[in-house]
Amino acid sequence: MVGAPPADVRDRVATTGIPAVERLPQSLGDVAVPLRAVSADDMMADVEVLFRAPSCAALAVQGDGAAPVGLLTRHRFTAAMTGRLGYGRAVLTRRPVGQIADWSPLVLDAATTVVDAARAAMARAAGVRHDDVLVPGPSWSAASTADLVSALTAAVSQRAARDPLTGVLSRPHLMATAARWAAEALPGTRRRLLLAAVDVVRMEDINATHGLDAGDALLRELASRVASAAPSGAVTARLDGDAFAVLVLLPAVPEERAQEIVGTVRDRLRGACATLGAGVRVATTASTAGWADATLLLLEVERDLRTARTAGTAPHAAPLQARR
């Protein structure tokens, strides 16, 4: 079997060849955490004890029927107890907490998307823009604005890393992975990087004859087959319109054995796509032992695909010692 990447990389890679996707928060309920509830009649001195716990950033304040729940953040509580002239504690210690709670907090259903929740939170007045968002349920919970922004950032990052049509990784992610493996996994070893590329013969004719929807379906199927045929630990990505690539970290083996592995990977890709209903080309290139340049590998494999398009034939791997 083809060698796997370093442990820290391998643990994030599924056996299909597509790195496992961490499930990101989609709704407000995914981000919200349970809140401790206090009564609006509880004394400020009693509530102060709760805020001594670092994990307590906010409390749900239960009032009467006209104002069923309020929000009391640590920031709001501290500001009130300090007071403008420093006399807040002396004045408020024996007063009920309901006097300083926010009785008109932003309340959103747990099913609200993270995007909509963040938009609503940031649309509030400046003084309360960073307060928690309350979420009703069997018990009250809340999501901080910081957590909402973090969830949005993670979603954007993941979306940028993947091709929206096929779900495989993007070209920039492939290049970043190749550069990282070249820098961290190859030096001082006999390992090398293998890059294999697959594209569809005359994809433009398929789109013209059968329509763009059929072409998209073909690309999704091709991506799935390429990912399934990729060795365990490999990274699968979309290079451009109809081209996909597989990046593999080869084990430290003699030259002849490395050639055999390259051929095996190439044959597996061809075999997986043989019954696709469209012709495919497969190009492979591998680095020298112990060193690789990600950009040169990609340029070479794309050059082989272009050569094959012109010649109308499927490219074959050149000797490994000629590769970078």
Side-chain angles (χ1 to χ4, degrees), residues 269-312:
L269 290 172
R270 285 177 176 164
C273 302
T275 59
L276 189 62
V280 297
R281 288 173 287 248
V282 179
T284 54
T285 185
S287 68
T288 57
W291 183 85
D293 183 292
T295 301
L296 292 179
L297 284 174
L298 183 60
L299 289 175
E300 190 163 0
V301 80
E302 289 183 326
R303 182 199 65 193
D304 285 353
L305 286 180
R306 287 194 300 271
T307 301
R309 292 189 190 105
T310 303

